[in-house]
Amino acid sequence: MDLINQIAAFLVGLIIFHFMDEQEYLTLFKRLELGVCFFCRKKYKSTGDDYFFKQAKQEFNHSKVFASIVDPDSKYRFPNETYTVREDTLGHYSVDGISKRYLATRFFFAGKSAEEFDLDNSLAFMGVLEKFQYLVYSEVMKFIPQEYYRYLESITNEEKEHSDILLGKVEQSLLIIKWNLKLLISLPLLLIDLLILQLNR
């Protein structure tokens, strides 16, 4: 399963490299990281687990790094407690995140919102997704401009750390297998989503 995920991450990296320009993929990463930040903030508010607040801040910092590369004059501030629960916008912030807008995520979450799952399932799918994100960033690091390498290297290492911590919190180990299988089946749809993004740009 790990080998298949690595192959899929390699293919995602190829699509990004060949079909997206630098600003497009950095903007995509920025929006994804910000979306995960919001999801972690929601989990922190519903569980009181300080780890989710810590991860939310790290994900926000990742988004901030990508934003600063795309727009050096970008003024990003960590959102306060009054942010909206919508995933598509937050004031002037435009995000993607863990949503139902893509074919892959609609299948992965079986048409539900990510927020509808209980804590153990949330920990499992977040850990699985963070690991895949680590693999994708590892592939992207092979072709990004050298001046961005140290930024992405730090972000990539933190994504691996997130995955390890989240999966370590899962009480029912079978859930990790379940969400890994769902990711595996979703991967072809992810590749289609990326191609659709390019056709619609």
Side-chain angles (χ1 to χ4, degrees), residues 1 4-5 8 103-110 128-129 132 177-193:
M1 195 174 298
I4 294 175
N5 286 345
L103 294 174
T105 50
R106 285 204 292 270
F107 179 85
F108 187 72
F109 292 118
V128 167
L129 291 176
F132 185 68
I177 298 174
K178 165 191 163 182
W179 287 103
N180 267 309
L181 288 172
K182 288 172 74 69
L183 174 64
L184 180 64
I185 300 171
S186 302
L187 290 175
L189 295 175
L190 173 62
L191 299 177
I192 293 172
D193 283 328

Side-chain angles (χ1 to χ4, degrees), residues 10-20 191 194-195 198:
F10 170 73
L11 293 175
V12 169
L14 281 181
I15 290 173
I16 290 173
F17 178 67
H18 287 291
F19 295 99
M20 289 182 158
L191 299 177
L194 286 172
L195 292 174
Q198 294 313 298

